[in-house]
């Protein structure tokens, strides 16, 4: 028999969320308990509804209320024959917010990481190959982080598609909008110089 009280369970569930520890979990639990009607019950209802209604898209692994997701169901977007590969759904959201991309996506679900023991078998690479084939994709845009893990994942995927009839491209690295040169790291400046454009 568990001896946890409902308050203990609440704090434990909150403390397990990313970025929260025991201290913030207790603070949030107290905050919610003091605002049951205004915040706690609506939050519980939102959690319940999201858990029941939001699912992973079978084609791109995006989260949406429909499967296939709204993006994969949009013929104008599938017809672009471009797939933008991202690590997480949050990256997809970031690109969608710009409104600058009109193709479809593929969410890998992570990055290769020797440190965290994440190998190719842990990413949905076979599903990606199948999607490239099904859509007769012409361009695979690797929108992965400019970190060691992001770049080794990009290398791995690019190698996998070498010799296949699909162009593999990557996001440009360079001086960020509003960025001052004096504050940039050497790697960013070196890459920006190499990839300079007219
Ligand atoms: Zn989708």
């Amino acid at each position: 028999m568990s001896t946890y009280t409902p308050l203990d369970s609440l704090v434990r569930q909150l403390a397990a969320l990313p970025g929260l520890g025991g201290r913030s979990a207790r603070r949030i639990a107290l905050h919610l308990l003091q605002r049951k009607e205004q915040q706690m019950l609506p939050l519980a209802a939102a959690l319940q509804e999201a858990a029941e209604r939001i699912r992973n898209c079978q084609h791109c692994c995006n989260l949406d209320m429909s499967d296939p997701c709204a993006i994969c169901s949009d013929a104008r977007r599938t017809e672009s024959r471009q797939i933008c590969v991202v690590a997480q759904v949050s990256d997809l959201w970031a690109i969608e917010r710009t409104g600058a991309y009109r193709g479809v996506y593929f969410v890998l679900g992570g990055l290769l990481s020797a440190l965290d023991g994440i190998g190719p078998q842990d990413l949905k690479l076979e599903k990606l190959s199948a999607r490239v084939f099904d859509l007769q994709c012409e361009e695979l845009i690797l929108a992965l982080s400019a970190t060691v893990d992001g770049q080794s994942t990009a290398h791995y995927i690019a190698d996998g598609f070498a010799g296949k009839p699909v162009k593999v491209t990557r996001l440009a690295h360079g001086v960020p909008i509003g960025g001052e040169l004096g504050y940039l790291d050497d790697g960013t400046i070196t890459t920006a110089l190499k990839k300079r454009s007219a």
Side-chain angles (χ1 to χ4, degrees), residues 57 59-60 62 69 72:
C57 172
H59 295 314
C60 73
N62 183 19
C69 72
C72 288

Side-chain angles (χ1 to χ4, degrees), residues 78-150:
T78 51
E79 278 162 13
S80 76
R81 305 217 193 292
Q82 287 177 315
I83 299 178
C84 179
V85 178
V86 293
Q88 302 291 354
V89 174
S90 53
D91 301 326
L92 182 159
W93 290 342
I95 297 175
E96 277 301 281
R97 275 201 304 274
T98 67
Y101 176 64
R102 300 309 297 161
V104 297
Y105 292 89
F106 188 86
V107 182
L108 284 175
L111 293 171
L112 297 177
S113 170
L115 210 63
D116 298 327
I118 299 172
Q121 70 287 351
D122 298 310
L123 304 181
K124 304 184 199 86
L125 296 172
E126 278 176 27
K127 206 175 163 78
L128 172 62
S129 295
R131 188 67 174 144
V132 167
F133 182 78
D134 290 345
L135 278 185
Q136 296 177 290
C137 171
E138 289 169 357
E139 183 181 7
L140 199 59
I141 303 166
L142 303 178
L144 303 172
S145 300
T147 57
V148 173
D149 289 350

